[in-house]
């Protein structure tokens, strides 16, 4: 049997993937409270927002302020999503630690969502890399390949196309690549197969999996990915989110359920589950009326639960 | 990487584990319709009820009638749960194909739930085996070891105790043994470890896993179990059920989500998903007001979905 990573990083993407998909707009001070509480609970990677025009996503118009706040928290890896060079320039200016450029392996989804072909996104990544290097910036560039397991618009997405895009992103200068099941089509056997191949192509530069729980398989998919050695996953508190351009997609992997599964497996995440559940309760209050997900908040921790030893060391 | 079984059997336990845990009482004719529709959808193993005194579980008082009906369906494996020799005698009389005797590896849960110690249950299985053999019956005897991953009453349950009970059940004459996470404490690493050891002890006689989705891990647990070669799982339509003696436990693995995951992995179950979803909608109508689970019914099948080829062969 394959072994599991000893440590896994969970990147909280609720403030971006979550909040961009729901009608509620959280005020900046509440987002700051969320980031602060998540940090206090042990979260060390947070995607705080997106540098897109405010007219497109008014929910995320305060991303620069959030980056500025998050950068005051020692050791926090502050990520932002950027759709293009303009967004990347803002990420570089604000000294975000990482900028994620989404690429859709589905040609049709790419056109609908980004108004670019996958190869046009690759070309944009090359421009972003040049701008980053010219600025002498340390901001890491991650190419995130979405609709990697199929697409609600186009249907099938070939594994070979996903892997071609991955190689192209690396060739264009992406420091990291990741794979997302944007529309919740992935199952664990497909994850295992694709992630193994991705590791072969990108090695340690393939570093993150992003799963939606649309059909209840997000955690099974994470488990399958863990067996391939991937040790970083996106998740959202209370599972909020999904892609607004992918009809029927809803529910990310829930951060608290994911942390619980990993802790139960003896895998260190550094995250304190009761503190995370308290934050979930707070955010659920702020987002009253929105559709929330996850199971642990309702069932509570098992009587027998013990966090991996290193957490309290 | 470990390989997966080519075929997996799903035993529908919604009529027993599901209906015994909820206030609604389904009339016998609706249960018969459920069994008939499940059979038409391709389900070939159904636990139709339990031979317990009707004053304890009035919901299941019609089990003998259901066995009689189910036995008319060619190739259907008709199971019943029995808590003791009296129940087993009724299972044998009605010619059920399999009787499952639950044993709780948690001493305290065993006393609370069955009013017997685990070893007293083992002794009962020996008596059941003697009665079965004396009757010249072909009814298979399955010892189902519950609370195998921990217990809401007792807390920890040692793996060694689960395996000791398993060996004792086999020694007492059980034809089959299975493992259940009665209270939803299992995670996939623990499943992989325990199921591997169980296979070593019981080989092909260890034949079924039963997971609750209390903390969202039922399907991840099934995936981990598949990697150990186990190829039969209990599940309930719409995830109904849970153990009434285990506070906080709720939600079985949902049959429809499980079939979907397996089909997506290319594993044959013989079950037609649209037909199963139609049955789910019907049963959901009957059980209005009850807490139902699962994700596929809401999201629908992916646009790219294709059932494993053998289904329509």
């Amino acid at each position: 049997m394959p072994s599991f990573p000893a440590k896994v990083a969970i990147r909280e993407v609720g403030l971006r993937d979550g909040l961009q998909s729901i009608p509620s707009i959280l005020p900046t001070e509440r987002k700051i409270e969320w980031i602060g509480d998540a940090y206090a609970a042990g979260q060390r990677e947070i995607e705080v927002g997106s540098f897109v025009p405010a007219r497109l996503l008014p929910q995320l118009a305060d991303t620069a302020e959030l980056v500025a706040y998050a950068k005051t928290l020692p050791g926090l890896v502050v990520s932002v999503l950027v759709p293009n060079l303009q967004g990347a320039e803002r990420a570089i200016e604000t000294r975000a630690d990482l900028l994620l450029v989404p690429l859709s392996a589905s040609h049709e989804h790419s056109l609908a969502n980004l108004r670019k072909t996958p190869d046009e996104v690759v070309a944009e990544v090359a421009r972003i890399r040049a701008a980053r290097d010219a600025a002498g910036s340390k901001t890491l560039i991650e190419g995130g390949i979405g609709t990697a397991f199929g697409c609600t618009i186009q249907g099938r997405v070939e594994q070979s196309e996903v892997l071609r895009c991955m190689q192209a992103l690396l060739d264009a200068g992406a420091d990291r690549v990741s794979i997302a099941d944007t529309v919740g089509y992935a199952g664990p056997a497909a994850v295992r197969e694709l992630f193994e191949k991705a590791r072969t192509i990108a090695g340690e530069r393939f570093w993150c999996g992003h799963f939606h729980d649309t059909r209840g398989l997000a955690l099974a998919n994470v488990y399958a990915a863990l067996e391939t050695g991937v040790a970083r996953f996106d998740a959202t508190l209370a599972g909020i989110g999904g892609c607004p351009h992918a009809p029927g997609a809803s529910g990310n992997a829930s951060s608290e359920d994911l942390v619980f599964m990993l802790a139960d497996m003896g895998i260190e995440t550094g995250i304190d589950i009761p503190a995370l559940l308290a934050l979930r309760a707070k955010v659920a209050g702020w987002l009253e009326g929105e559709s929330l997900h996850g199971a642990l908040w309702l069932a509570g921790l098992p009587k027998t639960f013990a966090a991996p030893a290193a957490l309290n060391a």
Side-chain angles (χ1 to χ4, degrees), chain A residues 266-280:
Chain A
I267 296 172
E268 238 191 285
T269 63
I271 297 171
D272 180 73
I273 297 178
L276 196 63
L277 289 174
L279 175 57
R280 187 201 191 276

Side-chain angles (χ1 to χ4, degrees), chain A residues 43-54:
Chain A
Q43 294 202 285
R44 287 295 176 272
E45 304 200 11
I46 304 181
E47 191 174 76
V48 299
S50 191
F51 282 122
V52 290

Side-chain angles (χ1 to χ4, degrees), chain A residues 5 9 15 96 125 149 174 205 281 302 313:
Chain A
L15 289 131
V125 166
F149 297 91
R205 289 184 296 168

Side-chain angles (χ1 to χ4, degrees), chain A residues 135-188:
Chain A
S137 157
K138 288 180 180 161
T139 301
L140 286 172
I141 299 166
E142 175 174 338
I145 304 169
T147 59
F149 297 91
C151 169
T152 47
I153 305 166
Q154 173 178 307
R156 275 187 68 82
V157 172
E158 299 301 328
Q159 213 178 60
S160 56
E161 176 63 2
V162 176
L163 298 171
R164 185 190 75 78
C165 291
M166 179 171 281
Q167 187 62 61
L169 284 166
L170 292 167
D171 293 345
D175 304 297
R176 303 279 186 268
V177 286
S178 54
I179 287 180
D181 175 28
T182 311
V183 300
Y185 275 20

Side-chain angles (χ1 to χ4, degrees), chain A residues 83-97:
Chain A
N84 52 31
L85 179 61
Q86 288 72 20
E89 285 168 346
R90 297 196 64 200
I92 291 165
E93 277 161 33
T94 56
R95 300 175 189 271
D97 297 299

Side-chain angles (χ1 to χ4, degrees), chain A residues 176-309:
Chain A
R176 303 279 186 268
V177 286
S178 54
I179 287 180
D181 175 28
T182 311
V183 300
Y185 275 20
V191 169
R192 190 168 94 171
E193 197 182 322
L194 182 59
F195 275 43
E196 279 189 331
K197 290 180 182 169
R199 293 271 292 180
T200 304
I201 286 177
E204 294 298 316
R205 289 184 296 168
F206 172 48
W207 83 334
C208 192
H210 177 115
F211 296 110
H212 287 186
D213 200 36
T214 317
R215 291 169 179 83
L217 299 186
L219 294 181
N221 291 339
V222 167
Y223 180 83
L226 285 168
E227 291 192 324
T228 71
V230 173
R232 179 173 284 94
F233 298 94
D234 287 347
T236 73
L237 197 67
I240 57 171
C243 174
H245 295 277
S250 71
N252 273 272
S254 122
S255 304
E256 62 277 16
D257 289 9
L258 175 53
V259 176
F260 167 66
M261 182 178 86
L262 294 168
D264 186 74
M265 295 173 70
I267 296 172
E268 238 191 285
T269 63
I271 297 171
D272 180 73
I273 297 178
L276 196 63
L277 289 174
L279 175 57
R280 187 201 191 276
K282 185 187 276 189
V283 171
W286 295 340
L287 299 178
E288 218 181 310
E290 298 291 356
S291 174
L292 306 182
H293 307 276
L296 185 68
W297 72 277
L298 188 58
L301 285 168
K303 194 172 183 171
T304 50
F305 181 76

